Every structure is written in structure tokens, then in C-alpha cells.
Amino acid sequence: MAAVVAATRWWRLLLVLSAAGMGASGAPQPPNILLLLMDDMGWGDLGVYGEPSRETPNLDRMAAEGMLFPNFYSANPLCSPSRAALLTGRLPIRNGFYTTNAHARNAYTPQEIVGGIPDSEQLLPELLKKAGYVSKIVGKWHLGHRPQFHPLKHGFDEWFGSPNCHFGPYDNKARPNIPVYRDWEMVGRYYEEFPINLKTGEANLTQIYLQEALDFIKRQARHHPFFLYWAVDATHAPVYASKPFLGTSQRGRYGDAVREIDDSVGKMLELLHDLHVADNTFVFFTSDNGAALISAPEQAGSNGPFLCGKQTTFEGGMREPALAWWPGHIAAGQVSHQLGSIMDLFTTSLALAGLTPPRDRAIDGLNLLPALLQGRLMDRPVFYYRGDTLMATTLGQHKAHFWTWTNSWENFRQGIDFCPGQNVSGVTTHSLEDHTKLPLIFHLGRDPGERFPLSFASAEYQEALSRITSVVQQHQEALVPGQPQLNVCNWAVMGHLAGPEGPRLLPRRHRPPGATPEGDPRGPHRLHRRPRLPRLPLWPLPGPGAWTGLCAHPKAGEAARPHCVGLLCPGVREG
């Protein structure tokens, strides 16, 4: 902790010295912050992490010009809780992104979820406003879709993207297709105005998201410090890529999606150089959770040597690729063995802006500036939560599993496998196994695949158990869980029953975004920037307690009544 405080003071001193160099131009501008969050991308998906086809030249160059973290973790093995942790700097058990409906149950934010990010949580863009930042999210939000959870109500100034993943298509009767927004305005839906061809995998979404990012950078680079959160979802099943990238990878359609993302990152870094702001822009690339091996091999990535994948608290579910880039500040070609967490991006971003984290709540993220700028290593634990349950803890090189579980025997017999080809007896269990009295402990340096637990009788086991037990005890004694947000589902909050006439759908466009006719002087990106769609308000979603009013509506009809109760959300297979 002393190293963190020292680094924060050092960075503030650097800002003061920069101001002196600016003379009459006023206060120094803190660095721009660009966080690139992938969806279900595995640790082994980049060439620099050993992927054999070597199809990520731009990301590999980003690593060569900056710093690579081989020991960087998500805060959860599922999308929504991980993203909530990034933007709050807090474990999902603290910020409410978990369920208590069942022990160690994964949960996320499907269309019928009632909850979302609480108003009591302070998100990164809200806090960055104090330092003059302008913030934009591009892509997947996933922290709730009701009006009170909208990203512009939680600090972001701009948004182009969706509240959910690109699941579908749906029939718009029982369930609507998922909407896409520009700020407060719904501008279309996946599979309609924003088509995704499930047969071929063709979609222009990554190109649209790239153009949104480039336009924002150009507008903000010389005026205000900016925070850009680029959260694309092309590598989440069903994976997609635009036509120029389809069929170009040795890895199939998933590899096509990765190649397009790599190309997009290259274009963003190139623009930062062209605008002469590269040395004043901190860029970090990572993923929300491990590769979803349930969709392997056609629709999923690689977790390298690690065990299992998304939805599990084995290394393959939570260890992520992570690259930091800041020319002139982060020395090129560095590898840091710091144990890092996606929550550290919250605290590190605040430190870059010269801000301190909120002091009225527990913050789990560390300030990584000592590791990034001075090569220091800080001792810290990594906690692996699945739902409401602390499944495992890593401290140093040792990882202790208190509970093990992949998925249920029922799901496994239906062909749902979170660990295909990776059965480890007594470890990859299909029933929730309690090891709290005698945890399974692995040395992740010698055994990154978690296949050889230490002997209970060994001195190494006893010493590791003592250290980890002490840390876990302190953590659990101080833990104040947040109100769980992912317990209750209700079809009414999807909005398609919000009016007695049924869903209010946008008319279909004859020409979807990206399909500009040949010879159109507006160019191929005209519709990427701002689709010319009818201006409609947000879908009128019911507010808190609205189910009762909806169900009592005299015109609601029998079709509405089965959905007019709050239901416990089931556990998820995908999210």
C-alpha cells in the first residue's frame, strides 16, 4: 500500500511539473484514458500470448511497445458482474451484481432482469468528471436496461451501443429484439436495422463501433481529456465479423472476429499518433472473462494452458489477456508479474486523473502505476467469486479452492460442458464440492493448469494454507455485501407489454447501416456515424413497482397476466 501512495504522490508531482512547462496555458491536462474491453476473449487468443497462427499483429505490437501482464484477472467469470466491477472498482459481491437464488450461481442481466447498477455505486466516468473528462461508452453496457440504469445516468456523456449482448433474433412477440441506442435515442435493433447473419457470421457492428471510437477521439483529443470505454462483443457467441475479414483466419469465424478487432485497435492507436496525443493517452486492453468453451471450437477462443473457461472460477474462466500502452511513460517490451485485476483499472484511471478513490466504501482495485511506471510488485490477493460464494483465492503463486464446480450433471448430460476435454478428477466436479475444511491448493507457477494439487501433508501446503486463510478471514470479516441486483426477473420490464397494443417497434430500413450504395458520395461510413432513423423515445419501460399497474390495466389481456409476477431468475448457461 505504501508503494501505491508513493506512486500517486509521484504522479501528482509530475502533473505539477508539467503545468510549469505549460506556462500561461493553464492547468495541465491529465492523460486521455482508453479502455478496450473484449467479450469472452481468452488468455491464449493473442499471438503475444502464444496463439500459434499469430494473427494479431497490432495487439502484439502494442505489447512490444508497452507492458504485458500474464497474471491479470477478471472479477467474475461472467460478463455483467465483471463489467460492474471494472466501472466501480469493487467486487460484484459488494456492488450487488450477484444472485442469492442459489449457492454459487452465476447471473447476469438478460432482458427480463429487474435489477441493475445501483445509484449508490459511483462509477468511473462520474468520478472522472471532477477532473474535466468527457466520457463515452461504445458497445455493450450490460449493467441493466431500465431507464434508471442507463449509462448516461451514471456518468457517461455519450453512448452508442446496446444494453445487452447480441442474442437473437427474437419474434418481437414473446420477446423483442435487443435495442441499439445513440445516447437516449433508440436507433434500431440487432437483426433488424443492425443485421447479423447467423449462417455466414457477417455483421458490420465492429466497423460501426470502430467509427464511433475514431470520431469521438478526433472530436475530443485537442479540447478535453477523454475517457473512452470501447466494449465490443464480436467474440461473444454468435461471433461475427464484417465481410472483408470473413474467411481470412486460420482459426475459423472466431479468428475472423479477433482479426477485425486487432485491425480496429491498430487504427485507433494510429489515430492517436496522427493527432500527436499518443504520449498523452493511456490505453489498456483486456477481456471481461475467459473464453466460453461451451461454444468451442467454432464460436470460442482459447484459454491457453489454463483449466476450463467462462462461468468457472478455474484459471481459464478468470485469467485474461492484458496489455498496457502509453508511449514515453511505460517502457517498451516490459512484462509485469504483478497480480492484476480488472478492478485495478478503476483505481489506476483515477490516479492518472489526479483523483483519489471514494473513501466511504471498500475499493478492491489497486493503483497499478507503481507496476506500470516503476516496475514494482505489490502483494495482494485475488478473490474468485461465483455468485454469492467465494470459490477460491490466490496469494502469490498459490491458489486455494474452497469450493469446486463446473456445471450440473443435468446440464453436462445435455452436452453443456464448461471444460471440454479437461476432466481433472476431484477438481472439475459436476456437483458443488465443499473443500472449506481442507482446500485444494495449487502452485500456479509450476502447475498453471491446476491439475496437481499439493499434498495436504507437505510443508508447502501448510505454509500456503496459513497465509491464505489469514487473508480470507480478514476479507470475510470486513465484507459488507451489497443488495443483490440479479435475483428477480419479470417479463414486463422487457417493455413489450408496456402498452396494451404490444411492442412499439421501429420500422425496418430498406438499407441497413454499412450498406451504402456504390458511388454514394457520403462514403461507406456515413451510416456508421449516425444512422438516419426516425427519432423515437426510449421504449417506455415500467419503473419500480410498475408490474402491479400493468397487470391491473383493463386492456392488458390474458397474455400479460402470466408475466405479471416477479420471478426468481434461474441460473444461466451463457451471458
Side-chain angles (χ1 to χ4, degrees), residues 413-436:
R413 290 184 183 114
Q414 295 171 357
I416 302 164
D417 192 354
F418 294 165
C419 313
Q422 291 186 302
N423 178 56
V424 180
S425 179
V427 178
T428 55
T429 55
H430 291 288
S431 56
L432 183 59
E433 298 293 332
D434 183 351
H435 306 282
T436 52

PDB file of all heavy atoms in Angstrom, residues 413-436:
ATOM      1  N   ARG A 413     -24.991 -33.687 -18.965  1.00  0.00           N
ATOM      2  CA  ARG A 413     -25.558 -34.803 -19.744  1.00  0.00           C
ATOM      3  C   ARG A 413     -26.312 -34.304 -20.972  1.00  0.00           C
ATOM      4  O   ARG A 413     -26.549 -35.068 -21.911  1.00  0.00           O
ATOM      5  CB  ARG A 413     -26.469 -35.635 -18.853  1.00  0.00           C
ATOM      6  CG  ARG A 413     -25.701 -36.423 -17.783  1.00  0.00           C
ATOM      7  CD  ARG A 413     -26.623 -37.326 -16.979  1.00  0.00           C
ATOM      8  NE  ARG A 413     -25.880 -38.000 -15.918  1.00  0.00           N
ATOM      9  CZ  ARG A 413     -26.068 -37.803 -14.626  1.00  0.00           C
ATOM     10  NH1 ARG A 413     -26.999 -36.933 -14.216  1.00  0.00           N
ATOM     11  NH2 ARG A 413     -25.356 -38.462 -13.727  1.00  0.00           N
ATOM     12  N   GLN A 414     -26.681 -33.030 -20.959  1.00  0.00           N
ATOM     13  CA  GLN A 414     -27.326 -32.429 -22.136  1.00  0.00           C
ATOM     14  C   GLN A 414     -26.308 -31.894 -23.136  1.00  0.00           C
ATOM     15  O   GLN A 414     -26.679 -31.282 -24.137  1.00  0.00           O
ATOM     16  CB  GLN A 414     -28.258 -31.301 -21.699  1.00  0.00           C
ATOM     17  CG  GLN A 414     -29.443 -31.762 -20.870  1.00  0.00           C
ATOM     18  CD  GLN A 414     -30.217 -30.603 -20.262  1.00  0.00           C
ATOM     19  OE1 GLN A 414     -29.844 -29.430 -20.407  1.00  0.00           O
ATOM     20  NE2 GLN A 414     -31.298 -30.910 -19.570  1.00  0.00           N
ATOM     21  N   GLY A 415     -25.027 -32.115 -22.873  1.00  0.00           N
ATOM     22  CA  GLY A 415     -23.978 -31.673 -23.782  1.00  0.00           C
ATOM     23  C   GLY A 415     -23.410 -30.311 -23.478  1.00  0.00           C
ATOM     24  O   GLY A 415     -22.632 -29.770 -24.261  1.00  0.00           O
ATOM     25  N   ILE A 416     -23.761 -29.730 -22.324  1.00  0.00           N
ATOM     26  CA  ILE A 416     -23.243 -28.414 -21.932  1.00  0.00           C
ATOM     27  C   ILE A 416     -21.995 -28.645 -21.093  1.00  0.00           C
ATOM     28  O   ILE A 416     -22.078 -29.173 -19.979  1.00  0.00           O
ATOM     29  CB  ILE A 416     -24.298 -27.629 -21.140  1.00  0.00           C
ATOM     30  CG1 ILE A 416     -25.574 -27.461 -21.976  1.00  0.00           C
ATOM     31  CG2 ILE A 416     -23.750 -26.280 -20.705  1.00  0.00           C
ATOM     32  CD1 ILE A 416     -26.773 -27.038 -21.155  1.00  0.00           C
ATOM     33  N   ASP A 417     -20.862 -28.231 -21.612  1.00  0.00           N
ATOM     34  CA  ASP A 417     -19.578 -28.560 -20.974  1.00  0.00           C
ATOM     35  C   ASP A 417     -18.719 -27.312 -20.876  1.00  0.00           C
ATOM     36  O   ASP A 417     -18.340 -26.731 -21.885  1.00  0.00           O
ATOM     37  CB  ASP A 417     -18.868 -29.642 -21.790  1.00  0.00           C
ATOM     38  CG  ASP A 417     -17.678 -30.247 -21.059  1.00  0.00           C
ATOM     39  OD1 ASP A 417     -17.329 -29.749 -19.973  1.00  0.00           O
ATOM     40  OD2 ASP A 417     -17.099 -31.224 -21.590  1.00  0.00           O
ATOM     41  N   PHE A 418     -18.428 -26.880 -19.652  1.00  0.00           N
ATOM     42  CA  PHE A 418     -17.588 -25.703 -19.446  1.00  0.00           C
ATOM     43  C   PHE A 418     -16.091 -26.039 -19.524  1.00  0.00           C
ATOM     44  O   PHE A 418     -15.269 -25.129 -19.537  1.00  0.00           O
ATOM     45  CB  PHE A 418     -17.866 -25.078 -18.078  1.00  0.00           C
ATOM     46  CG  PHE A 418     -19.246 -24.487 -17.941  1.00  0.00           C
ATOM     47  CD1 PHE A 418     -19.758 -24.173 -16.688  1.00  0.00           C
ATOM     48  CD2 PHE A 418     -20.039 -24.214 -19.056  1.00  0.00           C
ATOM     49  CE1 PHE A 418     -21.013 -23.618 -16.540  1.00  0.00           C
ATOM     50  CE2 PHE A 418     -21.299 -23.657 -18.927  1.00  0.00           C
ATOM     51  CZ  PHE A 418     -21.796 -23.368 -17.658  1.00  0.00           C
ATOM     52  N   CYS A 419     -15.762 -27.314 -19.535  1.00  0.00           N
ATOM     53  CA  CYS A 419     -14.355 -27.742 -19.523  1.00  0.00           C
ATOM     54  C   CYS A 419     -14.131 -28.875 -20.535  1.00  0.00           C
ATOM     55  O   CYS A 419     -13.649 -29.952 -20.160  1.00  0.00           O
ATOM     56  CB  CYS A 419     -13.938 -28.210 -18.139  1.00  0.00           C
ATOM     57  SG  CYS A 419     -14.401 -27.118 -16.780  1.00  0.00           S
ATOM     58  N   PRO A 420     -14.459 -28.691 -21.802  1.00  0.00           N
ATOM     59  CA  PRO A 420     -14.373 -29.803 -22.757  1.00  0.00           C
ATOM     60  C   PRO A 420     -12.947 -30.349 -22.862  1.00  0.00           C
ATOM     61  O   PRO A 420     -11.993 -29.595 -23.028  1.00  0.00           O
ATOM     62  CB  PRO A 420     -14.840 -29.188 -24.072  1.00  0.00           C
ATOM     63  CG  PRO A 420     -14.696 -27.712 -23.893  1.00  0.00           C
ATOM     64  CD  PRO A 420     -14.911 -27.453 -22.450  1.00  0.00           C
ATOM     65  N   GLY A 421     -12.836 -31.670 -22.716  1.00  0.00           N
ATOM     66  CA  GLY A 421     -11.534 -32.324 -22.848  1.00  0.00           C
ATOM     67  C   GLY A 421     -10.594 -32.070 -21.699  1.00  0.00           C
ATOM     68  O   GLY A 421      -9.400 -32.343 -21.814  1.00  0.00           O
ATOM     69  N   GLN A 422     -11.087 -31.577 -20.574  1.00  0.00           N
ATOM     70  CA  GLN A 422     -10.207 -31.184 -19.470  1.00  0.00           C
ATOM     71  C   GLN A 422     -10.655 -31.770 -18.135  1.00  0.00           C
ATOM     72  O   GLN A 422     -10.557 -31.101 -17.104  1.00  0.00           O
ATOM     73  CB  GLN A 422     -10.153 -29.659 -19.354  1.00  0.00           C
ATOM     74  CG  GLN A 422      -9.441 -28.964 -20.504  1.00  0.00           C
ATOM     75  CD  GLN A 422      -9.314 -27.479 -20.246  1.00  0.00           C
ATOM     76  OE1 GLN A 422     -10.301 -26.771 -20.043  1.00  0.00           O
ATOM     77  NE2 GLN A 422      -8.090 -26.981 -20.251  1.00  0.00           N
ATOM     78  N   ASN A 423     -11.138 -32.972 -18.100  1.00  0.00           N
ATOM     79  CA  ASN A 423     -11.561 -33.560 -16.843  1.00  0.00           C
ATOM     80  C   ASN A 423     -10.364 -33.800 -15.921  1.00  0.00           C
ATOM     81  O   ASN A 423      -9.396 -34.462 -16.292  1.00  0.00           O
ATOM     82  CB  ASN A 423     -12.290 -34.881 -17.088  1.00  0.00           C
ATOM     83  CG  ASN A 423     -12.707 -35.534 -15.784  1.00  0.00           C
ATOM     84  OD1 ASN A 423     -13.401 -34.919 -14.982  1.00  0.00           O
ATOM     85  ND2 ASN A 423     -12.269 -36.765 -15.564  1.00  0.00           N
ATOM     86  N   VAL A 424     -10.413 -33.241 -14.716  1.00  0.00           N
ATOM     87  CA  VAL A 424      -9.399 -33.466 -13.691  1.00  0.00           C
ATOM     88  C   VAL A 424     -10.126 -34.045 -12.483  1.00  0.00           C
ATOM     89  O   VAL A 424     -10.937 -33.363 -11.854  1.00  0.00           O
ATOM     90  CB  VAL A 424      -8.658 -32.169 -13.310  1.00  0.00           C
ATOM     91  CG1 VAL A 424      -7.611 -32.456 -12.238  1.00  0.00           C
ATOM     92  CG2 VAL A 424      -8.005 -31.539 -14.535  1.00  0.00           C
ATOM     93  N   SER A 425      -9.855 -35.274 -12.186  1.00  0.00           N
ATOM     94  CA  SER A 425     -10.576 -35.986 -11.136  1.00  0.00           C
ATOM     95  C   SER A 425     -10.526 -35.230  -9.810  1.00  0.00           C
ATOM     96  O   SER A 425      -9.460 -34.807  -9.352  1.00  0.00           O
ATOM     97  CB  SER A 425      -9.980 -37.390 -10.957  1.00  0.00           C
ATOM     98  OG  SER A 425     -10.646 -38.086  -9.927  1.00  0.00           O
ATOM     99  N   GLY A 426     -11.704 -35.043  -9.213  1.00  0.00           N
ATOM    100  CA  GLY A 426     -11.788 -34.366  -7.929  1.00  0.00           C
ATOM    101  C   GLY A 426     -11.686 -32.859  -8.007  1.00  0.00           C
ATOM    102  O   GLY A 426     -11.783 -32.177  -6.985  1.00  0.00           O
ATOM    103  N   VAL A 427     -11.476 -32.317  -9.200  1.00  0.00           N
ATOM    104  CA  VAL A 427     -11.303 -30.867  -9.369  1.00  0.00           C
ATOM    105  C   VAL A 427     -12.429 -30.299 -10.235  1.00  0.00           C
ATOM    106  O   VAL A 427     -13.167 -29.410  -9.814  1.00  0.00           O
ATOM    107  CB  VAL A 427      -9.923 -30.542  -9.980  1.00  0.00           C
ATOM    108  CG1 VAL A 427      -9.772 -29.035 -10.194  1.00  0.00           C
ATOM    109  CG2 VAL A 427      -8.813 -31.060  -9.074  1.00  0.00           C
ATOM    110  N   THR A 428     -12.581 -30.810 -11.454  1.00  0.00           N
ATOM    111  CA  THR A 428     -13.627 -30.316 -12.361  1.00  0.00           C
ATOM    112  C   THR A 428     -14.923 -31.068 -12.061  1.00  0.00           C
ATOM    113  O   THR A 428     -15.417 -31.851 -12.876  1.00  0.00           O
ATOM    114  CB  THR A 428     -13.206 -30.479 -13.825  1.00  0.00           C
ATOM    115  OG1 THR A 428     -12.860 -31.863 -14.058  1.00  0.00           O
ATOM    116  CG2 THR A 428     -12.016 -29.612 -14.160  1.00  0.00           C
ATOM    117  N   THR A 429     -15.493 -30.801 -10.919  1.00  0.00           N
ATOM    118  CA  THR A 429     -16.640 -31.565 -10.434  1.00  0.00           C
ATOM    119  C   THR A 429     -17.953 -31.038 -11.008  1.00  0.00           C
ATOM    120  O   THR A 429     -18.088 -29.848 -11.308  1.00  0.00           O
ATOM    121  CB  THR A 429     -16.691 -31.505  -8.904  1.00  0.00           C
ATOM    122  OG1 THR A 429     -16.690 -30.123  -8.493  1.00  0.00           O
ATOM    123  CG2 THR A 429     -15.482 -32.199  -8.301  1.00  0.00           C
ATOM    124  N   HIS A 430     -18.946 -31.932 -11.133  1.00  0.00           N
ATOM    125  CA  HIS A 430     -20.274 -31.542 -11.620  1.00  0.00           C
ATOM    126  C   HIS A 430     -21.289 -31.436 -10.493  1.00  0.00           C
ATOM    127  O   HIS A 430     -22.470 -31.230 -10.742  1.00  0.00           O
ATOM    128  CB  HIS A 430     -20.750 -32.525 -12.692  1.00  0.00           C
ATOM    129  CG  HIS A 430     -19.956 -32.428 -13.950  1.00  0.00           C
ATOM    130  ND1 HIS A 430     -20.058 -31.375 -14.830  1.00  0.00           N
ATOM    131  CD2 HIS A 430     -19.000 -33.243 -14.462  1.00  0.00           C
ATOM    132  CE1 HIS A 430     -19.227 -31.544 -15.837  1.00  0.00           C
ATOM    133  NE2 HIS A 430     -18.568 -32.669 -15.635  1.00  0.00           N
ATOM    134  N   SER A 431     -20.828 -31.566  -9.297  1.00  0.00           N
ATOM    135  CA  SER A 431     -21.613 -31.210  -8.118  1.00  0.00           C
ATOM    136  C   SER A 431     -20.771 -30.219  -7.328  1.00  0.00           C
ATOM    137  O   SER A 431     -19.547 -30.224  -7.412  1.00  0.00           O
ATOM    138  CB  SER A 431     -21.941 -32.441  -7.272  1.00  0.00           C
ATOM    139  OG  SER A 431     -20.756 -33.131  -6.911  1.00  0.00           O
ATOM    140  N   LEU A 432     -21.427 -29.345  -6.608  1.00  0.00           N
ATOM    141  CA  LEU A 432     -20.720 -28.311  -5.849  1.00  0.00           C
ATOM    142  C   LEU A 432     -20.041 -28.968  -4.654  1.00  0.00           C
ATOM    143  O   LEU A 432     -20.701 -29.421  -3.717  1.00  0.00           O
ATOM    144  CB  LEU A 432     -21.704 -27.235  -5.401  1.00  0.00           C
ATOM    145  CG  LEU A 432     -21.138 -26.028  -4.652  1.00  0.00           C
ATOM    146  CD1 LEU A 432     -20.102 -25.299  -5.486  1.00  0.00           C
ATOM    147  CD2 LEU A 432     -22.265 -25.083  -4.257  1.00  0.00           C
ATOM    148  N   GLU A 433     -18.715 -29.041  -4.689  1.00  0.00           N
ATOM    149  CA  GLU A 433     -17.946 -29.754  -3.671  1.00  0.00           C
ATOM    150  C   GLU A 433     -17.339 -28.775  -2.670  1.00  0.00           C
ATOM    151  O   GLU A 433     -16.700 -27.789  -3.052  1.00  0.00           O
ATOM    152  CB  GLU A 433     -16.838 -30.581  -4.326  1.00  0.00           C
ATOM    153  CG  GLU A 433     -17.336 -31.664  -5.261  1.00  0.00           C
ATOM    154  CD  GLU A 433     -18.087 -32.773  -4.542  1.00  0.00           C
ATOM    155  OE1 GLU A 433     -17.785 -33.011  -3.345  1.00  0.00           O
ATOM    156  OE2 GLU A 433     -18.982 -33.384  -5.154  1.00  0.00           O
ATOM    157  N   ASP A 434     -17.539 -29.076  -1.399  1.00  0.00           N
ATOM    158  CA  ASP A 434     -17.074 -28.226  -0.309  1.00  0.00           C
ATOM    159  C   ASP A 434     -15.671 -28.664   0.135  1.00  0.00           C
ATOM    160  O   ASP A 434     -15.472 -29.776   0.618  1.00  0.00           O
ATOM    161  CB  ASP A 434     -18.056 -28.355   0.858  1.00  0.00           C
ATOM    162  CG  ASP A 434     -17.715 -27.445   2.032  1.00  0.00           C
ATOM    163  OD1 ASP A 434     -16.630 -26.831   2.022  1.00  0.00           O
ATOM    164  OD2 ASP A 434     -18.534 -27.361   2.961  1.00  0.00           O
ATOM    165  N   HIS A 435     -14.692 -27.748  -0.047  1.00  0.00           N
ATOM    166  CA  HIS A 435     -13.312 -28.006   0.398  1.00  0.00           C
ATOM    167  C   HIS A 435     -12.898 -27.009   1.479  1.00  0.00           C
ATOM    168  O   HIS A 435     -11.698 -26.792   1.693  1.00  0.00           O
ATOM    169  CB  HIS A 435     -12.342 -27.886  -0.783  1.00  0.00           C
ATOM    170  CG  HIS A 435     -12.687 -28.743  -1.954  1.00  0.00           C
ATOM    171  ND1 HIS A 435     -12.425 -30.087  -2.009  1.00  0.00           N
ATOM    172  CD2 HIS A 435     -13.285 -28.434  -3.133  1.00  0.00           C
ATOM    173  CE1 HIS A 435     -12.829 -30.581  -3.170  1.00  0.00           C
ATOM    174  NE2 HIS A 435     -13.361 -29.601  -3.871  1.00  0.00           N
ATOM    175  N   THR A 436     -13.875 -26.379   2.138  1.00  0.00           N
ATOM    176  CA  THR A 436     -13.528 -25.291   3.050  1.00  0.00           C
ATOM    177  C   THR A 436     -12.695 -25.776   4.233  1.00  0.00           C
ATOM    178  O   THR A 436     -11.893 -25.013   4.779  1.00  0.00           O
ATOM    179  CB  THR A 436     -14.803 -24.590   3.570  1.00  0.00           C
ATOM    180  OG1 THR A 436     -15.698 -25.572   4.106  1.00  0.00           O
ATOM    181  CG2 THR A 436     -15.491 -23.836   2.441  1.00  0.00           C
TER     182      THR A 436
END
